[in-house]
Amino acid sequence: MPEIAGIALEAADVSPAEKHLVFHQELILTQTTLANLRKILYPLIEGQNLLLVGDAGVGKNALIYYINKIRGLPTIRFSFNQDTLPEDLSGSFRVLPDGFQWNNGPLTEALEKGYTFVADEMNLASPEILKRFISVFDRRRLALLEKDGSEVVANRRFSFVATQNPARGFEGRKNLPESIARHFTTIYLDHYPAAEEKEILRGLYPEEYGTLADTVVTLQRALETSIWKNELAKDDLEHYHFNLRTAQRFMNRALVAGLTDIHAPAFRDLVFT
């Protein structure tokens, strides 16, 4: 039986055709990563709806991908925005030469097949749109009003995981309304300390890039602190965010350039371009 952080998991039995939906996510298992995994695993195993709250780059989606890789369970992720419509999730008809054909939306597909549905940044969608799916949150079933009114009952393996960036520092973002959030177990993911960010980057890149990884983390931390103190970019309308995701983008550019020497002029050029 597979396990993560000492927690036993039930292995999924999926067909070869479904295996492309099992993402081969790798994680560097630092103490914070393990703590975040434990926070998620217990309520997830119990079948609770989860709302993961954490800054961009903390790994909200990656943690779910990793859990499902270990248990061999497919994941369907949908990115929400202010223009999301019910049919984007439930499904719609396509016009074909010989008539109309119904196509399941990602949520309907996850319900029927028993996949994990990841509602990425669900708080960006209109609350009125989200209320359409309350039956999924509390009764594990969905009426296909866009089709024929038939009802889809969730496969026992189905789980619903929503993600949300914190409102502070993300201009224009609002938390999920209480009428929706009360259907979820909210999990606040821990931030990575600088030492663990360095450990993660060192684990993801060749050994000769270690010093560069440490420098990138230190530089990002200093920039983030200066921005929060309004010492930099204080007139900009949107807050700049520096995290593991932005660090990896920089490291990828350095990897392509073959740059390992932080004292080389090319390093400065890479930072400021």
Side-chain angles (χ1 to χ4, degrees):
M1 180 175 289
E3 67 172 47
I4 297 176
I7 302 171
L9 303 172
E10 180 182 352
D13 182 18
V14 299
S15 68
E18 296 173 302
K19 288 187 176 179
H20 73 283
L21 292 172
V22 180
F23 297 96
H24 295 282
Q25 178 71 51
E26 298 295 336
L27 290 180
I28 306 300
L29 298 178
T30 68
Q31 290 301 310
T32 300
T33 304
L34 290 170
N36 284 335
L37 284 168
R38 291 188 189 99
K39 283 184 176 184
I40 293 170
L41 280 167
Y42 288 113
L44 185 67
I45 291 171
E46 292 175 359
Q48 299 176 30
N49 303 314
L50 304 187
L51 173 60
L52 307 184
V53 181
D55 283 334
V58 78
K60 297 184 287 293
N61 292 310
L63 290 164
I64 299 300
Y65 289 154
Y66 179 77
I67 290 169
N68 280 356
K69 181 194 76 168
I70 298 301
R71 59 182 181 169
L73 184 64
T75 306
I76 293 181
R77 173 175 170 255
F78 182 85
S79 295
F80 284 69
N81 59 60
Q82 61 187 4
D83 298 320
T84 297
L85 298 173
E87 54 264 36
D88 295 330
L89 301 171
S90 59
S92 60
F93 283 101
R94 291 179 59 191
V95 180
L96 300 178
D98 57 348
F100 295 92
Q101 176 182 302
W102 172 261
N103 284 338
N104 281 343
L107 179 55
T108 303
E109 191 74 3
L111 278 163
E112 286 188 347
K113 301 289 182 62
Y115 301 160
T116 298
F117 182 79
V118 176
D120 193 30
E121 296 199 78
M122 193 169 80
N123 55 306
L124 297 185
S126 162
E128 297 307 314
I129 297 297
L130 297 179
K131 288 177 183 176
R132 160 77 172 79
F133 300 99
I134 284 180
S135 64
V136 176
F137 308 148
D138 63 5
R139 295 190 295 113
R140 286 294 193 265
R141 56 190 64 217
L142 175 65
L144 298 179
L145 304 180
E146 294 76 18
K147 186 183 181 184
D148 54 10
S150 59
E151 193 171 62
V152 177
V153 178
N155 183 297
R156 72 173 188 85
R157 299 184 314 188
F158 171 76
S159 55
F160 194 108
V161 180
T163 73
Q164 173 182 290
N165 290 328
R168 180 176 181 265
F170 290 85
E171 289 69 17
R173 308 288 177 92
K174 296 181 180 179
N175 294 330
L176 277 177
E178 175 58 29
S179 60
I180 302 296
R182 67 186 181 86
H183 297 280
F184 290 80
T185 298
T186 302
I187 298 173
Y188 294 93
L189 297 177
D190 295 332
H191 298 278
Y192 291 103
E196 288 191 23
E197 286 192 356
K198 294 174 182 178
E199 180 184 349
I200 290 169
L201 289 181
R202 282 177 171 266
L204 293 174
Y205 294 92
E207 184 177 353
E208 59 268 28
Y209 287 83
T211 300
L212 179 63
D214 293 348
T215 303
V216 168
V217 171
T218 301
L219 177 61
Q220 286 200 152
R221 291 277 174 147
L223 287 170
E224 186 80 10
T225 299
S226 294
I227 289 170
W228 280 114
K229 290 181 177 179
N230 286 325
E231 295 172 351
L232 290 174
K234 61 183 178 180
D235 296 324
D236 290 357
L237 296 177
E238 188 166 348
H239 181 86
Y240 293 96
H241 294 272
F242 296 95
N243 47 53
L244 277 171
R245 187 181 299 167
T246 56
Q248 284 183 257
R249 288 175 187 158
F250 184 90
M251 293 295 294
N252 289 337
R253 292 171 63 193
L255 193 64
V256 170
L259 177 63
T260 60
D261 184 4
I262 62 173
H263 301 292
F267 174 74
R268 184 175 60 252
D269 295 339
L270 199 62
V271 168
F272 295 105
T273 57

